[in-house]
Amino acid sequence: MAKTIEEINEKIRKGKAVVLTAEEIIDYAAEKGVKKATQEVDVVTTGTFGPMCSSGAYFNVGHSKPRIKLGGGKTYLNDIPVYTGLAAVDFFLGATAMPEDDPRNKIYPGKFSYGGAHVIEELVAGKDVRLTATAYGTDCYPRKSLETYISLKEMNEAVLFDVRNAYQNYNVAVNLSDRVIYTYMGVLQPKLANANYCNAGQLSPLLNDPYYKTIGIGTRIFLGGGVGYVVGSGTQHNPNVARTEKGVPKMTSGTLSVKGDLKMMSPKWLRGTSYTGYGVTLTVGIGVPIPILDEEILKFTMIKDEEILAQVVDYSDAYPQFIPGSLGEVNYKQLKSGKITVQGKDVPTSGLSSYVKAGEIARILKEWIEAGKFFLTQPVELLPSVDSGIAFKSLKERPIKKRH
Amino acid sequence: MQKKRVVFNYPSHLVDQPVISKLVKDYDLTVNILRARITPKEEGRLVLEMEGKRSALEAGFNYMKEIGVDVQPLAQDVKWYEDRCTHCTACISVCHPKALDVDRKTMEVSFKRDKCIACELCIPVCPYQAMEILF
Ligand code: SF4
Ligand code: SF4
């Protein structure tokens, strides 16, 4: 007997919904059997807490007196440049933005100790930041410069808006060269001396709903410690990749675009993050509830670390040169054991995405639902799946003709 | 023979005294200065690796303490900010002495100060600025 979202919400309202985390469901369903577990369990909660570069936030800071038009000039929050190509006092702050005078990798490897993501963390922590701007001035917006402290609560709107988060599976990065390399997958020691992975495995949102049968536009989620929504599939969403028998992608595939009110979020779940030699990024906490509508969906949520495969990729050559191919396949149980074997060599592993925090998110979301504070939504449209015909494109460069 | 990594904190009146050369000559110790920060009329701070007979090392440290130098084992200067640590485990594969270690059952990371050799490999690796060398 299939359940509906309304029926589940009714149970949440009455405080009778049965909620398990994506970790708890594995043993529970194995013990009770799929049929019984599907009848009993209403929601499975997932979680992930990892670096997600395509994150950012938009703000409306209110009009000054006299008025200023930020667009066309330059605007900064704590010396981090923001994008002002919008109306007068709206702007967008990207997580990876950095101060203009940051030495980048001129002193190699660069530290990247402060950037857009750190501003977001500080704002969410309730701190004052410096808003500085210069403008060209118009008849209706005469002011040409602005310097003030501002905090989140003084703004009209402050919205986290991430164009790509929560990657469904990811590469395992290694370094075959003979020098240390500094990547977005962390510091990779030469000659296959370490391997870094970046996914919560069995707790990860999209790995528990591999064909996106419940997640879509309007899905209410845990976002950065507050409540957010799935806006749609994220950029580079690519459902058409090789999958296991259970439907789990063996490599990077689906992604989410999400948004939520920054004023409701917490610095614990939005962390400014610095990758030595690479840059700044935002570590985002996301938890997606999966409604157990039928047996098929329950079975998907039973996925275990040992059933999720990832590709080992060389980041010294194959990745930067965009050469397809994999050095081998490993599963998340092996990755979390601390050691994998690549090309016959034992390689110690490290994570970039925190499994501890992913579990904490899944448990918080479970508590919210049990307490009747969080209700599920019926998506307006599901994410594009394997029947969407999406093909992942690379950039085809075409020479620009020189004008004489 | 024994090797020890220590931090010496000097009071200002000892900064221009030849105390290190005395350690080398009188106690027959090999001294390798890893870091130094000494400014005249201010306190000085030295991080050293010292090698010698166990008894000589002890005697050397005692001498330093007697003349008013504060002697600390080096691990005290590497700090793990637990509240900043996300338990991502990025540092685990570079920390060979297993000062930073992970409980594979819970995936929780912990820091054991006494195992730390202050190699500093974790500093550029930790993306959350949870590891710091205080010097
Ligand atoms: S300084 Fe070296 S030994 Fe100490 S915690 Fe960091 S990596 Fe481990
Ligand atoms: S790399 Fe930093 S944040 Fe990650 S586990 Fe180690 S100390 Fe904690």
Short mmCIF file of all heavy atoms in Angstrom, two decimals, chain B residues 28-81:
data_model
loop_
_atom_site.label_atom_id
_atom_site.label_comp_id
_atom_site.label_asym_id
_atom_site.label_seq_id
_atom_site.Cartn_x
_atom_site.Cartn_y
_atom_site.Cartn_z
N ASP B 28 77.37 18.39 26.47
CA ASP B 28 77.61 17.53 25.32
C ASP B 28 76.32 17.19 24.57
O ASP B 28 76.02 16.03 24.31
CB ASP B 28 78.32 16.24 25.80
CG ASP B 28 78.90 15.48 24.62
OD1 ASP B 28 79.14 16.13 23.58
OD2 ASP B 28 79.07 14.26 24.72
N LEU B 29 75.54 18.22 24.28
CA LEU B 29 74.26 18.01 23.58
C LEU B 29 74.35 18.55 22.15
O LEU B 29 75.03 19.54 21.91
CB LEU B 29 73.12 18.74 24.31
CG LEU B 29 72.84 18.28 25.74
CD1 LEU B 29 71.83 19.21 26.39
CD2 LEU B 29 72.33 16.85 25.76
N THR B 30 73.69 17.86 21.24
CA THR B 30 73.57 18.40 19.89
C THR B 30 72.28 19.21 19.85
O THR B 30 71.23 18.72 20.25
CB THR B 30 73.46 17.26 18.86
OG1 THR B 30 74.46 16.31 19.17
CG2 THR B 30 73.64 17.78 17.45
N VAL B 31 72.41 20.45 19.42
CA VAL B 31 71.23 21.31 19.44
C VAL B 31 70.89 21.76 18.02
O VAL B 31 71.76 22.22 17.28
CB VAL B 31 71.48 22.56 20.33
CG1 VAL B 31 70.32 23.52 20.23
CG2 VAL B 31 71.70 22.13 21.76
N ASN B 32 69.64 21.56 17.67
CA ASN B 32 69.17 21.99 16.36
C ASN B 32 68.04 22.99 16.59
O ASN B 32 66.99 22.65 17.11
CB ASN B 32 68.69 20.74 15.61
CG ASN B 32 68.30 21.08 14.18
OD1 ASN B 32 68.57 22.18 13.71
ND2 ASN B 32 67.65 20.14 13.52
N ILE B 33 68.29 24.25 16.22
CA ILE B 33 67.27 25.27 16.46
C ILE B 33 66.23 25.23 15.34
O ILE B 33 66.54 25.39 14.17
CB ILE B 33 67.90 26.68 16.54
CG1 ILE B 33 68.86 26.71 17.74
CG2 ILE B 33 66.83 27.75 16.69
CD1 ILE B 33 69.59 28.02 17.92
N LEU B 34 64.98 24.95 15.71
CA LEU B 34 63.91 24.84 14.71
C LEU B 34 63.26 26.19 14.46
O LEU B 34 62.88 26.51 13.35
CB LEU B 34 62.86 23.84 15.18
CG LEU B 34 63.38 22.42 15.45
CD1 LEU B 34 62.30 21.56 16.04
CD2 LEU B 34 63.91 21.79 14.17
N ARG B 35 63.08 26.97 15.51
CA ARG B 35 62.52 28.30 15.37
C ARG B 35 63.07 29.19 16.47
O ARG B 35 63.35 28.71 17.56
CB ARG B 35 61.00 28.30 15.58
CG ARG B 35 60.21 27.80 14.45
CD ARG B 35 58.99 27.14 15.02
NE ARG B 35 58.24 26.50 13.96
CZ ARG B 35 57.26 27.11 13.31
NH1 ARG B 35 56.89 28.32 13.63
NH2 ARG B 35 56.61 26.50 12.36
N ALA B 36 63.16 30.46 16.18
CA ALA B 36 63.63 31.38 17.20
C ALA B 36 62.92 32.71 17.06
O ALA B 36 62.62 33.15 15.95
CB ALA B 36 65.14 31.59 17.05
N ARG B 37 62.57 33.28 18.17
CA ARG B 37 62.03 34.64 18.13
C ARG B 37 62.54 35.35 19.37
O ARG B 37 62.09 35.12 20.48
CB ARG B 37 60.50 34.60 18.13
CG ARG B 37 59.90 35.96 17.82
CD ARG B 37 58.39 35.91 17.80
NE ARG B 37 57.87 35.59 19.13
CZ ARG B 37 56.63 35.18 19.34
NH1 ARG B 37 55.80 35.02 18.35
NH2 ARG B 37 56.23 34.93 20.56
N ILE B 38 63.55 36.16 19.16
CA ILE B 38 64.14 36.87 20.28
C ILE B 38 64.27 38.34 19.90
O ILE B 38 64.81 38.68 18.86
CB ILE B 38 65.54 36.32 20.63
CG1 ILE B 38 65.42 34.86 21.03
CG2 ILE B 38 66.17 37.14 21.75
CD1 ILE B 38 66.74 34.17 21.25
N THR B 39 63.72 39.19 20.73
CA THR B 39 63.90 40.61 20.49
C THR B 39 64.55 41.20 21.73
O THR B 39 64.19 40.83 22.84
CB THR B 39 62.57 41.33 20.22
OG1 THR B 39 61.60 40.81 21.13
CG2 THR B 39 62.10 41.09 18.81
N PRO B 40 65.55 42.08 21.56
CA PRO B 40 66.25 42.64 22.71
C PRO B 40 65.27 43.29 23.69
O PRO B 40 64.30 43.89 23.26
CB PRO B 40 67.17 43.69 22.08
CG PRO B 40 67.19 43.42 20.64
CD PRO B 40 65.98 42.64 20.29
N LYS B 41 65.53 43.15 24.95
CA LYS B 41 64.73 43.71 26.03
C LYS B 41 63.34 43.07 26.15
O LYS B 41 62.52 43.49 26.93
CB LYS B 41 64.56 45.24 25.87
CG LYS B 41 65.88 45.99 25.88
CD LYS B 41 65.72 47.31 26.60
CE LYS B 41 67.07 47.96 26.84
NZ LYS B 41 67.72 48.41 25.60
N GLU B 42 63.08 42.05 25.31
CA GLU B 42 61.81 41.36 25.44
C GLU B 42 62.08 39.90 25.74
O GLU B 42 63.21 39.45 25.73
CB GLU B 42 61.00 41.47 24.15
CG GLU B 42 60.19 42.74 24.06
CD GLU B 42 59.50 42.84 22.72
OE1 GLU B 42 58.86 41.86 22.33
OE2 GLU B 42 59.63 43.90 22.10
N GLU B 43 61.00 39.15 25.95
CA GLU B 43 61.17 37.73 26.17
C GLU B 43 61.56 37.04 24.88
O GLU B 43 61.22 37.48 23.79
CB GLU B 43 59.87 37.13 26.68
CG GLU B 43 59.53 37.56 28.09
CD GLU B 43 58.85 36.45 28.85
OE1 GLU B 43 58.10 35.70 28.23
OE2 GLU B 43 59.10 36.33 30.06
N GLY B 44 62.32 35.95 25.02
CA GLY B 44 62.69 35.18 23.84
C GLY B 44 62.01 33.83 23.85
O GLY B 44 61.58 33.36 24.90
N ARG B 45 61.92 33.24 22.68
CA ARG B 45 61.27 31.95 22.56
C ARG B 45 62.04 31.13 21.54
O ARG B 45 62.32 31.58 20.43
CB ARG B 45 59.85 32.17 22.05
CG ARG B 45 58.81 31.30 22.62
CD ARG B 45 57.49 32.05 22.42
NE ARG B 45 56.43 31.15 22.02
CZ ARG B 45 55.87 30.29 22.84
NH1 ARG B 45 56.27 30.19 24.09
NH2 ARG B 45 54.90 29.51 22.41
N LEU B 46 62.42 29.92 21.93
CA LEU B 46 63.20 29.06 21.04
C LEU B 46 62.54 27.69 20.98
O LEU B 46 62.10 27.16 22.00
CB LEU B 46 64.60 28.85 21.63
CG LEU B 46 65.72 29.82 21.32
CD1 LEU B 46 66.98 29.32 22.01
CD2 LEU B 46 65.96 29.92 19.83
N VAL B 47 62.47 27.14 19.78
CA VAL B 47 62.06 25.75 19.66
C VAL B 47 63.27 24.96 19.19
O VAL B 47 63.88 25.30 18.18
CB VAL B 47 60.90 25.58 18.65
CG1 VAL B 47 60.55 24.11 18.50
CG2 VAL B 47 59.69 26.37 19.12
N LEU B 48 63.64 23.94 19.95
CA LEU B 48 64.85 23.19 19.63
C LEU B 48 64.62 21.71 19.61
O LEU B 48 63.73 21.20 20.29
CB LEU B 48 65.93 23.42 20.71
CG LEU B 48 66.21 24.80 21.19
CD1 LEU B 48 66.16 24.79 22.69
CD2 LEU B 48 67.55 25.23 20.70
N GLU B 49 65.49 21.06 18.86
CA GLU B 49 65.57 19.62 18.95
C GLU B 49 66.92 19.34 19.58
O GLU B 49 67.94 19.84 19.11
CB GLU B 49 65.49 19.01 17.56
CG GLU B 49 65.37 17.50 17.61
CD GLU B 49 65.21 16.95 16.22
OE1 GLU B 49 66.22 16.96 15.48
OE2 GLU B 49 64.11 16.53 15.87
N MET B 50 66.94 18.60 20.68
CA MET B 50 68.19 18.34 21.37
C MET B 50 68.44 16.85 21.43
O MET B 50 67.54 16.06 21.67
CB MET B 50 68.12 18.89 22.79
CG MET B 50 67.64 20.34 22.81
SD MET B 50 68.41 21.30 24.07
CE MET B 50 68.09 20.35 25.48
N GLU B 51 69.70 16.52 21.21
CA GLU B 51 70.07 15.12 21.24
C GLU B 51 71.24 14.93 22.19
O GLU B 51 72.16 15.73 22.22
CB GLU B 51 70.44 14.66 19.82
CG GLU B 51 70.19 13.20 19.63
CD GLU B 51 70.50 12.73 18.21
OE1 GLU B 51 70.60 13.57 17.30
OE2 GLU B 51 70.64 11.51 18.05
N GLY B 52 71.18 13.86 22.96
CA GLY B 52 72.28 13.57 23.86
C GLY B 52 71.93 12.43 24.78
O GLY B 52 70.87 11.81 24.62
N LYS B 53 72.80 12.14 25.73
CA LYS B 53 72.51 11.09 26.70
C LYS B 53 71.34 11.54 27.56
O LYS B 53 71.20 12.72 27.85
CB LYS B 53 73.73 10.85 27.59
CG LYS B 53 74.83 10.08 26.90
CD LYS B 53 75.63 9.29 27.97
CE LYS B 53 76.88 8.69 27.35
NZ LYS B 53 78.05 9.60 27.51
N ARG B 54 70.52 10.56 27.97
CA ARG B 54 69.35 10.90 28.77
C ARG B 54 69.72 11.75 30.00
O ARG B 54 69.10 12.77 30.27
CB ARG B 54 68.67 9.61 29.24
CG ARG B 54 67.44 9.85 30.08
CD ARG B 54 67.06 8.56 30.79
NE ARG B 54 66.41 7.65 29.86
CZ ARG B 54 65.09 7.56 29.75
NH1 ARG B 54 64.31 8.30 30.49
NH2 ARG B 54 64.54 6.72 28.91
N SER B 55 70.81 11.34 30.68
CA SER B 55 71.21 12.06 31.89
C SER B 55 71.68 13.47 31.55
O SER B 55 71.39 14.44 32.26
CB SER B 55 72.31 11.30 32.61
OG SER B 55 73.39 11.08 31.70
N ALA B 56 72.37 13.58 30.41
CA ALA B 56 72.86 14.89 30.00
C ALA B 56 71.70 15.82 29.65
O ALA B 56 71.70 17.00 29.98
CB ALA B 56 73.81 14.74 28.81
N LEU B 57 70.69 15.24 28.99
CA LEU B 57 69.51 16.04 28.64
C LEU B 57 68.84 16.57 29.90
O LEU B 57 68.50 17.74 30.00
CB LEU B 57 68.51 15.19 27.84
CG LEU B 57 68.76 15.09 26.33
CD1 LEU B 57 67.89 14.01 25.72
CD2 LEU B 57 68.52 16.41 25.63
N GLU B 58 68.66 15.66 30.86
CA GLU B 58 68.02 16.07 32.11
C GLU B 58 68.81 17.16 32.80
O GLU B 58 68.25 18.16 33.26
CB GLU B 58 67.87 14.86 33.03
CG GLU B 58 66.44 14.34 33.03
CD GLU B 58 66.34 12.97 33.66
OE1 GLU B 58 66.98 12.76 34.72
OE2 GLU B 58 65.64 12.12 33.08
N ALA B 59 70.13 16.95 32.86
CA ALA B 59 70.97 17.94 33.52
C ALA B 59 70.90 19.28 32.79
O ALA B 59 70.86 20.34 33.41
CB ALA B 59 72.42 17.43 33.57
N GLY B 60 70.88 19.21 31.47
CA GLY B 60 70.80 20.43 30.66
C GLY B 60 69.51 21.19 30.94
O GLY B 60 69.50 22.41 31.14
N PHE B 61 68.40 20.44 30.98
CA PHE B 61 67.10 21.08 31.25
C PHE B 61 67.10 21.69 32.65
O PHE B 61 66.59 22.79 32.85
CB PHE B 61 65.96 20.06 31.14
CG PHE B 61 65.70 19.60 29.73
CD1 PHE B 61 65.15 18.35 29.47
CD2 PHE B 61 66.00 20.42 28.65
CE1 PHE B 61 64.90 17.94 28.18
CE2 PHE B 61 65.75 20.00 27.34
CZ PHE B 61 65.21 18.75 27.11
N ASN B 62 67.67 20.95 33.60
CA ASN B 62 67.72 21.47 34.97
C ASN B 62 68.50 22.78 35.04
O ASN B 62 68.09 23.72 35.71
CB ASN B 62 68.36 20.45 35.93
CG ASN B 62 67.34 19.38 36.29
OD1 ASN B 62 66.13 19.62 36.17
ND2 ASN B 62 67.82 18.23 36.70
N TYR B 63 69.62 22.80 34.31
CA TYR B 63 70.43 24.02 34.27
C TYR B 63 69.60 25.19 33.73
O TYR B 63 69.59 26.29 34.29
CB TYR B 63 71.68 23.79 33.42
CG TYR B 63 72.31 25.06 32.91
CD1 TYR B 63 73.00 25.92 33.78
CD2 TYR B 63 72.21 25.42 31.56
CE1 TYR B 63 73.55 27.10 33.31
CE2 TYR B 63 72.76 26.60 31.09
CZ TYR B 63 73.43 27.43 31.97
OH TYR B 63 73.97 28.60 31.50
N MET B 64 68.87 24.93 32.64
CA MET B 64 68.04 25.98 32.03
C MET B 64 67.00 26.47 33.03
O MET B 64 66.78 27.68 33.17
CB MET B 64 67.34 25.45 30.76
CG MET B 64 68.26 25.11 29.61
SD MET B 64 69.30 26.48 29.07
CE MET B 64 68.20 27.33 27.95
N LYS B 65 66.35 25.52 33.72
CA LYS B 65 65.32 25.91 34.68
C LYS B 65 65.93 26.75 35.81
O LYS B 65 65.33 27.74 36.25
CB LYS B 65 64.63 24.67 35.26
CG LYS B 65 63.62 24.07 34.28
CD LYS B 65 63.02 22.78 34.83
CE LYS B 65 62.29 22.04 33.73
NZ LYS B 65 62.09 20.62 34.04
N GLU B 66 67.13 26.32 36.25
CA GLU B 66 67.79 27.04 37.34
C GLU B 66 68.06 28.49 36.99
O GLU B 66 67.88 29.38 37.82
CB GLU B 66 69.13 26.36 37.68
CG GLU B 66 69.02 25.40 38.83
CD GLU B 66 70.22 24.47 38.87
OE1 GLU B 66 71.35 24.94 38.54
OE2 GLU B 66 70.03 23.29 39.22
N ILE B 67 68.49 28.71 35.76
CA ILE B 67 68.81 30.10 35.42
C ILE B 67 67.57 30.90 35.04
O ILE B 67 67.63 32.08 34.70
CB ILE B 67 69.88 30.21 34.31
CG1 ILE B 67 69.39 29.53 33.02
CG2 ILE B 67 71.22 29.62 34.77
CD1 ILE B 67 70.28 29.82 31.83
N GLY B 68 66.40 30.25 35.07
CA GLY B 68 65.16 31.02 34.89
C GLY B 68 64.48 30.86 33.55
O GLY B 68 63.60 31.63 33.19
N VAL B 69 64.89 29.82 32.79
CA VAL B 69 64.24 29.58 31.49
C VAL B 69 63.10 28.59 31.71
O VAL B 69 63.25 27.60 32.40
CB VAL B 69 65.25 29.01 30.46
CG1 VAL B 69 64.55 28.64 29.17
CG2 VAL B 69 66.35 30.02 30.21
N ASP B 70 61.95 28.89 31.13
CA ASP B 70 60.81 28.00 31.22
C ASP B 70 60.95 26.94 30.12
O ASP B 70 61.08 27.26 28.95
CB ASP B 70 59.53 28.84 31.03
CG ASP B 70 58.30 27.96 30.97
OD1 ASP B 70 58.16 27.10 31.86
OD2 ASP B 70 57.49 28.14 30.05
N VAL B 71 60.97 25.67 30.52
CA VAL B 71 61.16 24.58 29.55
C VAL B 71 59.86 23.79 29.40
O VAL B 71 59.29 23.33 30.39
CB VAL B 71 62.29 23.62 30.03
CG1 VAL B 71 62.52 22.52 29.00
CG2 VAL B 71 63.57 24.40 30.28
N GLN B 72 59.39 23.68 28.16
CA GLN B 72 58.15 22.94 27.90
C GLN B 72 58.35 21.95 26.77
O GLN B 72 59.06 22.26 25.82
CB GLN B 72 57.04 23.91 27.45
CG GLN B 72 56.65 24.98 28.44
CD GLN B 72 55.82 24.44 29.58
OE1 GLN B 72 55.26 23.35 29.49
NE2 GLN B 72 55.75 25.19 30.67
N PRO B 73 57.72 20.79 26.86
CA PRO B 73 57.78 19.90 25.69
C PRO B 73 57.04 20.56 24.51
O PRO B 73 56.08 21.30 24.71
CB PRO B 73 57.05 18.63 26.15
CG PRO B 73 56.30 19.02 27.38
CD PRO B 73 56.97 20.21 27.97
N LEU B 74 57.51 20.26 23.29
CA LEU B 74 57.02 20.99 22.13
C LEU B 74 55.52 20.81 21.86
O LEU B 74 54.85 21.72 21.42
CB LEU B 74 57.81 20.57 20.89
CG LEU B 74 57.42 21.26 19.58
CD1 LEU B 74 57.47 22.76 19.75
CD2 LEU B 74 58.32 20.84 18.47
N ALA B 75 54.99 19.63 22.16
CA ALA B 75 53.59 19.35 21.81
C ALA B 75 52.63 20.40 22.35
O ALA B 75 51.57 20.62 21.79
CB ALA B 75 53.19 17.98 22.31
N GLN B 76 53.02 21.04 23.43
CA GLN B 76 52.12 22.03 24.00
C GLN B 76 51.88 23.20 23.08
O GLN B 76 50.95 23.95 23.26
CB GLN B 76 52.72 22.56 25.31
CG GLN B 76 52.69 21.51 26.37
CD GLN B 76 52.83 22.10 27.73
OE1 GLN B 76 53.25 23.23 27.87
NE2 GLN B 76 52.46 21.34 28.74
N ASP B 77 52.71 23.33 22.09
CA ASP B 77 52.55 24.47 21.20
C ASP B 77 51.73 24.17 19.95
O ASP B 77 51.47 25.05 19.17
CB ASP B 77 53.90 25.05 20.83
CG ASP B 77 54.35 26.05 21.88
OD1 ASP B 77 53.55 26.39 22.75
OD2 ASP B 77 55.49 26.48 21.81
N VAL B 78 51.37 22.91 19.75
CA VAL B 78 50.46 22.59 18.65
C VAL B 78 49.08 22.49 19.26
O VAL B 78 48.87 21.75 20.21
CB VAL B 78 50.85 21.27 17.96
CG1 VAL B 78 49.81 20.89 16.91
CG2 VAL B 78 52.21 21.40 17.31
N LYS B 79 48.17 23.27 18.69
CA LYS B 79 46.84 23.30 19.30
C LYS B 79 45.78 22.78 18.35
O LYS B 79 45.79 23.09 17.16
CB LYS B 79 46.50 24.72 19.73
CG LYS B 79 46.26 24.77 21.22
CD LYS B 79 45.64 26.04 21.68
CE LYS B 79 44.42 25.67 22.49
NZ LYS B 79 43.76 26.76 23.10
N TRP B 80 44.89 21.97 18.89
CA TRP B 80 43.73 21.49 18.14
C TRP B 80 42.51 22.20 18.70
O TRP B 80 42.19 22.04 19.87
CB TRP B 80 43.60 19.97 18.33
CG TRP B 80 42.40 19.35 17.67
CD1 TRP B 80 42.05 19.40 16.36
CD2 TRP B 80 41.40 18.52 18.31
NE1 TRP B 80 40.92 18.67 16.15
CE2 TRP B 80 40.49 18.12 17.32
CE3 TRP B 80 41.19 18.08 19.62
CZ2 TRP B 80 39.39 17.32 17.59
CZ3 TRP B 80 40.10 17.27 19.89
CH2 TRP B 80 39.21 16.90 18.88
N TYR B 81 41.88 23.03 17.88
CA TYR B 81 40.68 23.73 18.33
C TYR B 81 39.48 22.82 18.06
O TYR B 81 38.97 22.76 16.94
CB TYR B 81 40.53 25.06 17.60
CG TYR B 81 41.60 26.06 18.00
CD1 TYR B 81 42.80 26.15 17.30
CD2 TYR B 81 41.41 26.87 19.12
CE1 TYR B 81 43.78 27.05 17.70
CE2 TYR B 81 42.39 27.77 19.52
CZ TYR B 81 43.57 27.85 18.80
OH TYR B 81 44.54 28.73 19.19
#
